Amino acid sequence: MSPHLSVWRWHITMASSIANRATGVALYVGALIGAAWAVALASGPDAYAGFKGLLGSPLGLLVMFGLTVSFFYHLANGIRHLVWDAGYGFELKTANAASVFVFAFTAVASIVIWVIAAMTGAI
Amino acid sequence: MVSYRTPLSRARGLGAAKHGVSAWIGERVAAIALVPLTLWLVFAVLRLAAGDYAFAVHWIGQPLNAVLMVLLLAISFMHMAGGLRVVIEDYIHVALTKSALLILNLFVCGLAGALSIFSILKVAFGGGAY
């Protein structure tokens, strides 16, 4: 069972498991922001400009960067979960290596997307 | 309190619910669908962030964009409702608090999902408000 955080020795596979939940909850908030985007769009130009101004503010950009990290983590680790569900990747070495890969992929993909965003005028 | 239930009636209905497999598979199928849809969303957000209101209205007016956005929203809110449900069930053990949070989770996902999908369809069909 998941809740026994205090009785296990910390390990990278444990950290990557908890991070999957944490990023999932973060993306929950992100999806509500996405819903707010759709409602703002349907409400007209003023509401849409206000929404974009909010997301373009320093705090908004920080939230968006956090969501980018959460998204790439949850994507990569979610695919890892699907591989587990298919019955593969449970060997200790494989599980450890996959954890490292997921963290590394998250860092690289997040930076790449923000560089692209800066180059294409998205931020 | 005296119970009039027979031992057989108490035993009936215990054990496996017999319908967990479809829920389990459904969660995975939704997750698989979200892989291409969310990768498309990254591309979409980059374009929408660079554009203004008129561009967003035009963009949602494209049938492919509108349909993919509606599918993404519907499947995401299902995935979220199921995901946070498991988190609540794992960490909250007080029956009333747990029930209240499970219902709140479902209602929030249902409301946000319905609001956002209606909004997308309104803009896609109506062309926005100028």
Side-chain angles (χ1 to χ4, degrees):
Chain A
M1 272 289 282
S2 315
H4 301 293
L5 301 182
S6 51
V7 298
W8 298 100
R9 181 174 58 83
W10 275 86
H11 190 78
I12 188 160
T13 46
M14 181 181 177
S16 65
S17 169
I18 291 165
N20 198 56
R21 285 207 159 174
T23 54
V25 173
L27 290 168
Y28 193 103
V29 178
L32 295 181
I33 295 174
W37 168 81
V39 173
L41 180 65
S43 302
D46 294 339
Y48 193 72
F51 180 85
K52 279 201 75 176
L54 215 58
L55 277 196
S57 70
L59 183 65
L61 288 174
L62 186 69
V63 169
M64 286 306 282
F65 185 75
L67 288 175
T68 310
V69 171
S70 299
F71 165 69
F72 281 118
Y73 184 87
H74 207 77
L75 173 74
N77 208 59
I79 291 171
R80 187 173 167 222
H81 265 281
L82 290 171
V83 172
W84 278 334
D85 291 336
Y88 302 101
F90 290 108
E91 299 78 10
L92 205 55
K93 272 188 176 171
T94 316
N96 286 339
S99 288
V100 174
F101 175 81
V102 165
F103 281 118
F105 168 81
T106 303
V108 173
S110 301
I111 292 167
V112 166
I113 282 296
W114 276 71
V115 168
I116 293 174
M119 285 183 347
T120 55
I123 47 172
Chain B
M1 196 177 85
V2 181
S3 172
Y4 294 98
R5 297 185 70 189
T6 63
L8 180 62
S9 97
R10 274 198 296 276
R12 255 184 204 138
L14 296 178
K18 307 278 196 289
H19 53 71
V21 175
S22 59
W24 191 90
I25 292 174
E27 284 167 8
R28 268 98 202 134
V29 173
I32 291 167
L34 283 173
V35 174
L37 283 171
T38 52
L39 285 172
W40 168 81
L41 178 71
V42 173
F43 168 74
V45 168
L46 284 175
R47 295 203 64 197
L48 288 164
D52 59 0
Y53 173 76
F55 173 76
V57 169
H58 171 77
W59 188 86
I60 279 296
Q62 306 294 315
L64 185 66
N65 292 335
V67 167
L68 288 180
M69 190 59 87
V70 167
L71 285 176
L72 172 67
L73 286 165
I75 300 170
S76 292
F77 281 106
M78 275 170 54
H79 183 81
M80 285 161 53
L84 201 68
R85 180 192 171 135
V86 174
V87 175
I88 294 167
E89 286 171 345
D90 274 353
Y91 295 110
I92 311 293
H93 301 299
V94 181
L96 189 63
T97 316
K98 182 165 81 175
S99 306
L101 287 174
L102 286 174
I103 290 170
L104 182 68
N105 171 44
L106 190 62
F107 285 8
V108 164
C109 287
L111 179 67
L115 268 174
S116 53
I117 289 170
F118 176 84
S119 299
I120 294 297
L121 293 177
K122 176 176 179 278
V123 175
F125 291 136
Y130 285 99

